[in-house]
Amino acid sequence: MIETLPSSVYVDPFQLTQYLQFGGPEFISPEVDIEKPEYLSAAFNISIFTQPLELISGYWVTNVTLPVHIRYHRPSSDPSQYYQQVTVPDPDVYINCSDN
């Protein structure tokens, strides 16, 4: 899977390494400055490699937990700007099929 994360959120590469050490899926992520606020950050892609967990009604099903953190946004004195909506798009999914 390739997940595109907007500038409003990030994943901590160190935390992803810990997930892998405890049996989680493999992640490939660019270096992330976790201290940068949203307005100084850019969207980026993270690659997630996992195996199907089970066959359900003819579909291979897998479940991935991705720890996502919210970045600081610009301060605002406008009450309509107290909250920001963050939308993370659906991931692109790629499948490698073999004869087995």
Side-chain angles (χ1 to χ4, degrees):
M1 290 182 270
I2 297 179
E3 181 69 72
T4 300
L5 297 176
S7 62
S8 297
V9 299
Y10 69 92
V11 292
D12 182 345
F14 176 75
Q15 191 175 21
L16 296 181
T17 301
Q18 299 299 314
Y19 269 49
L20 183 59
Q21 290 176 351
F22 291 99
E26 182 179 350
F27 296 92
I28 297 177
S29 172
E31 286 193 30
V32 176
D33 183 347
I34 64 173
E35 298 296 327
K36 270 190 176 178
E38 175 270 338
Y39 52 90
L40 295 176
S41 301
F44 66 95
N45 293 332
I46 179 170
S47 300
I48 305 164
F49 300 91
T50 185
Q51 298 293 322
L53 297 178
E54 58 185 311
L55 186 63
I56 299 175
S57 301
Y59 296 96
W60 286 106
V61 177
T62 191
N63 184 6
V64 176
T65 300
L66 183 64
V68 177
H69 303 271
I70 305 296
R71 290 188 184 275
Y72 290 105
H73 287 72
R74 286 189 188 275
S76 175
S77 59
D78 180 358
S80 68
Q81 297 294 316
Y82 283 169
Y83 301 97
Q84 293 290 322
Q85 181 174 345
V86 176
T87 302
V88 178
D90 293 334
D92 293 325
V93 177
Y94 299 91
I95 299 172
N96 181 11
C97 298
S98 65
D99 292 333
N100 296 337

